[in-house]
Amino acid sequence: VLFLILAIFAALGATYSVVVPPFEASDEKWHYPMVKYIADNGALPVQVPGVDTPWRQEGSQPPLYYALAAAATFWIDTSDVDVVRHLNPHVDPGATPDGNVNLAVHRPAWESFPWRGTVLAVHLVRLLSVLMGVAAVYLTYLIARQVVPGEPALALGAAAIHAFNPMFVFISGSVNNDNLVVPLSNLALVLLITLIDPESKIENPKSLLVRYLTLGCVLGLAALAKTSSLALTLLTALVVVVRAV
């Protein structure tokens, strides 16, 4: 059943990633330029107050997601980005009679399959994001199995609720740094629950040290994915204190 949940989620996420036109997903028009900058320059952009850039505020975000996406797409010639990422100057995304809701101006000849250039890079990053979403759903299952070990049906239900939240599926099929911070945060929670579980006896000091070091690395990676994960440090402090007591 878990495999079926993960497979259906992957299929739905991949479908969104294919059918949603480039730069129509939430903030994708800012997220992808950050990926391209790192892929082209091998460095982070310098944010200058008052200077408008294609990546806008995403240039101040932690860079791990963008770096991974850049590593997956650096080999693609994305010199056509200005043509593909032609933002709609008259967009009105509200519930308006004119229906002018497209965030970008789309050219089927540039966006149709087989993909190439910037369109290919965007779709590859989207598919990479879907895989991150699959990991997040699986880790939700593990969390529930740890919290209620005698109720496997609850764990499957938790995974299903996570997998089939419509907005989560949609974002998982887009270029967005939320796609990395969720599985890393879930992995940190798995490690924290293992440490605090009274049934988990870690008598070997070396084994405990390895677990703490692993948790520290995961927390560091999560912080490099998005600053919202820093709240996990408070939970970690609480777990360490309780375990020490």
Side-chain angles (χ1 to χ4, degrees):
V1 174
L2 176 63
F3 177 81
L4 185 62
I5 291 172
L6 295 175
I8 294 174
F9 168 80
L12 289 173
T15 300
Y16 270 121
S17 76
V18 171
V19 303
V20 175
F23 308 114
E24 291 295 336
S26 178
D27 290 341
E28 192 173 66
K29 59 185 177 181
W30 317 129
H31 285 294
Y32 176 73
M34 181 65 171
V35 174
K36 175 176 168 54
Y37 185 93
I38 296 176
D40 291 345
N41 299 279
L44 300 178
V46 176
Q47 296 288 82
V48 180
V51 176
D52 192 20
T53 60
W55 46 85
R56 290 200 176 180
Q57 74 276 5
E58 310 308 338
S60 299
Q61 294 262 26
L64 184 56
Y65 173 82
Y66 306 109
L68 292 175
T73 58
F74 73 93
W75 52 275
I76 301 173
D77 179 7
T78 56
S79 57
D80 60 347
V81 65
D82 291 333
V83 176
V84 177
R85 187 183 170 274
H86 182 178
L87 301 185
N88 182 3
H90 307 293
V91 62
D92 190 359
T96 54
D98 60 20
N100 194 351
V101 297
N102 283 354
L103 301 176
V105 178
H106 299 286
R107 296 173 175 83
W110 288 79
E111 299 178 2
S112 58
F113 192 84
W115 304 315
R116 58 195 180 279
T118 298
V119 174
L120 173 61
V122 168
H123 281 293
L124 284 181
V125 178
R126 286 178 170 186
L127 291 174
L128 178 63
S129 296
V130 172
L131 294 178
M132 295 176 184
V134 171
V137 173
Y138 176 69
L139 288 165
T140 291
Y141 171 81
L142 292 185
I143 290 171
R145 286 291 286 159
Q146 287 180 306
V147 174
V148 281
E151 300 289 344
L154 286 179
L156 291 172
I161 289 172
H162 189 170
F164 304 132
N165 180 300
M167 184 54 75
F168 180 75
V169 184
F170 177 70
I171 293 298
S172 293
S174 71
V175 182
N176 193 302
N177 61 345
D178 285 338
N179 293 316
L180 181 58
V181 73
V182 175
L184 286 174
S185 296
N186 273 5
L187 180 56
L189 290 174
V190 169
L191 296 172
L192 286 170
I193 294 170
T194 301
L195 284 170
I196 202 68
D197 184 2
E199 300 298 325
S200 176
K201 303 297 183 182
I202 311 174
E203 305 295 345
N204 188 337
K206 289 185 178 180
S207 176
L208 182 59
L209 177 61
V210 169
R211 295 199 186 204
Y212 276 132
L213 289 174
T214 303
L215 175 59
C217 289
V218 172
L219 291 173
L221 291 173
L224 285 172
K226 197 165 187 178
T227 54
S228 57
S229 66
L230 290 173
L232 289 167
T233 58
L234 299 177
L235 283 176
T236 301
L238 179 62
V239 167
V240 170
V241 169
V242 170
R243 184 172 180 86
V245 171

